[in-house]
């Protein structure tokens, strides 16, 4: 499949050749999903008990963990063993990236880790939060100012159930179609949003346009149906890595996935040209941060 670059790596701590490393960084920054069909995250017998949505606090859809503070959120009750499991994933996914793309080691920022034990098919939310619609990641309360959003996923479903995604058109094509439909940022609004605590930090023009594109894509049902797309099945025991701010994606069904988010400043990239900030700046012919 043209959206995937497949690697036969079977351990999160493999020593890798220079050839593999070069291939990985080019494919990833070029907008492909790095796919590891046989890279499982093993669970102990005790940990298998966590594979149920009933461990979720009813107010949360995910369990989330922050390696920087060593805090777990979203779980019901005493969760020390669960925390160790998610923490192990945080550490292993970092090791994998360090091996695979050593170019990022100095600049890669480890953000939240999540465990998603609920079935995603049929979840009821507003269209903006509906991740079964093709979108690029952009979050209203968390401006990135152009920093990248890089995510590692591993399907840990114990019943053989795949995580099913759709992958849409290349980022530059998304921009051609969606950016002209975006509203113009209104002077003063970013200050107000920050002041009122609606955004964590300043919503730059880049963040404004990313959010507008995210919402416009999700809101256009004709686009969702007719845009060139592929359906991908990620089976249990597989891992994949993707720039979700760049790759148009939708998560259709599946249950029990682990996910680690990283941020990367633009100067950490191998090639800035394909970064959403640079593509949008080229489109609007001005600086957006
Ligand atoms: C998303 O990033 O849209 C959701 C991915 C997933 O949970 O599989
Ligand atoms: Fe997403």
């Amino acid at each position: 499949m043209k959206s995937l670059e497949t690697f036969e790596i079977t351990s999160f701590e493999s020593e890798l050749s220079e050839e593999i490393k070069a291939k990985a960084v080019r494919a990833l920054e070029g907008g492909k999903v790095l796919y590891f069909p046989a890279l499982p995250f093993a669970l102990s017998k005790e940990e298998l008990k966590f594979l149920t949505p009933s461990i979720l606090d009813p107010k949360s859809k995910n369990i989330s963990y922050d390696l920087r503070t060593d805090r777990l959120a979203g779980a019901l009750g005493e969760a020390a063993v669960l925390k160790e499991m998610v923490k192990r994933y945080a550490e292993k996914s970092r090791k994998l990236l360090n091996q695979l793309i050593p170019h990022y080691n100095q600049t890669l920022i480890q953000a939240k880790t999540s465990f998603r034990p609920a079935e995603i098919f049929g979840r009821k939310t507003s269209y903006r939060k509906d991740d079964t619609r093709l979108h690029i990641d952009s979050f209203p309360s968390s401006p990135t100012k152009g920093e990248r959003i890089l995510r590692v996923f591993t399907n840990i479903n114990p019943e053989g159930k795949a995580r099913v995604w759709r992958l849409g058109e290349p980022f530059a094509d998304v921009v051609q179609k969606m950016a002209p439909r975006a509203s113009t940022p209104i002077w003063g609004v970013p200050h107000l949003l920050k002041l009122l605590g609606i955004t964590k930090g300043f919503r730059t023009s880049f963040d404004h346009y990313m959010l507008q594109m995210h919402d416009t894509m999700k809101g256009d049902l004709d686009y969702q149906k007719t845009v060139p797309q592929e359906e991908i099945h990620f089976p249990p025991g597989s891992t994949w890595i993707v720039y979700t701010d760049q790759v148009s994606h939708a998560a259709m069904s599946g249950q029990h996935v682990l996910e680690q988010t990283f941020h990367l400043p633009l100067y950490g990239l191998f090639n800035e040209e394909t970064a959403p900030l640079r593509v949008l700046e080229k489109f609007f012919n001005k600086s957006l941060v």
Side-chain angles (χ1 to χ4, degrees):
M1 268 167 284
K2 68 174 175 16
S3 336
L4 303 185
E5 190 73 59
T6 303
F7 296 84
E8 305 305 326
I9 295 169
T10 55
S11 153
F12 283 83
E13 283 150 73
S14 304
E15 293 279 336
L16 304 169
S17 70
E18 291 307 313
E19 194 186 330
I20 288 184
K21 293 175 189 174
K23 185 168 121 177
V25 74
R26 279 198 200 101
L28 184 66
E29 293 187 5
K32 286 195 173 193
V33 175
L34 307 188
Y35 176 47
F36 308 87
L39 182 49
F41 180 76
L43 301 188
S44 70
K45 212 168 169 183
E46 189 181 6
E47 288 168 344
L48 284 171
K49 291 193 305 230
F50 300 133
L51 301 182
T52 164
S54 63
I55 59 158
L56 278 172
D57 182 322
K59 292 191 287 293
S60 316
K61 62 176 195 177
N62 294 329
I63 307 275
S64 91
Y65 172 73
D66 193 331
L67 186 64
R68 296 164 293 193
T69 54
D70 193 33
R71 287 184 63 154
L72 191 82
L76 275 184
E78 179 45 62
V81 180
L82 176 59
K83 186 169 98 174
E84 286 311 306
M85 175 182 106
V86 182
K87 180 178 179 181
R88 194 168 77 249
Y89 187 71
E91 290 167 346
K92 287 217 177 204
S93 54
R94 175 83 203 208
K95 277 189 182 148
L96 175 65
L97 269 173
N98 283 354
Q99 289 291 342
L100 192 65
I101 312 188
H103 188 81
Y104 291 172
N105 286 2
Q106 301 300 318
T107 43
L108 195 65
I109 301 158
Q110 187 143 10
K112 294 267 179 77
T113 319
S114 72
F115 168 42
R116 307 176 176 193
E119 169 62 55
I120 52 176
F121 177 79
R123 198 152 55 192
K124 298 268 173 290
T125 53
S126 69
Y127 83 89
R128 284 191 177 89
K129 286 189 179 160
D130 182 0
D131 289 339
T132 67
R133 300 181 187 210
L134 287 164
H135 65 283
I136 43 155
D137 280 354
S138 175
F139 304 102
S141 61
S142 312
T144 65
K145 304 176 169 67
E147 259 184 26
R148 306 303 311 273
I149 305 174
L150 179 59
R151 292 186 146 160
V152 182
F153 293 88
T154 301
N155 185 351
I156 54 169
N157 188 286
E159 288 148 0
K161 193 173 182 180
R163 200 158 193 94
V164 180
W165 277 27
R166 288 186 292 146
L167 293 172
E169 61 185 350
F171 187 78
D173 297 349
V174 173
V175 169
Q176 290 298 328
K177 287 187 195 145
M178 298 297 152
R181 296 166 62 179
S183 68
T184 313
I186 298 168
W187 190 86
V189 166
H191 293 279
L192 205 62
L193 291 173
K194 187 178 167 202
L195 204 70
L196 295 174
I198 296 169
T199 54
K200 295 183 212 104
F202 190 80
R203 182 184 288 173
T204 63
S205 296
F206 166 76
D207 293 294
H208 169 87
Y209 286 120
M210 288 292 282
L211 205 54
Q212 286 273 311
M213 293 199 301
H214 168 276
D215 291 354
T216 308
M217 290 167 82
K218 280 187 172 175
D220 186 339
L221 291 176
D222 186 54
Y223 174 80
Q224 292 288 327
K225 241 194 299 189
T226 58
V227 73
Q229 56 193 280
E230 283 177 79
E231 187 174 274
I232 315 278
H233 290 237
F234 297 108
S238 72
T239 293
W240 60 106
I241 305 178
V242 53
Y243 272 119
T244 53
D245 57 348
Q246 174 181 2
V247 175
S248 169
H249 62 283
M252 308 311 293
S253 65
Q255 189 179 10
H256 306 308
V257 79
L258 283 161
E259 173 272 335
Q260 173 65 55
T261 300
F262 295 93
H263 296 292
L264 191 80
L266 249 56
Y267 60 82
L269 288 166
F270 182 69
N271 172 17
E272 288 187 22
E273 292 281 291
T274 54
L277 175 62
R278 294 292 175 247
V279 176
L280 277 168
E281 285 184 333
K282 210 166 162 185
F283 181 85
F284 286 108
N285 197 23
K286 61 178 181 202
S287 165
L288 297 177
V289 291

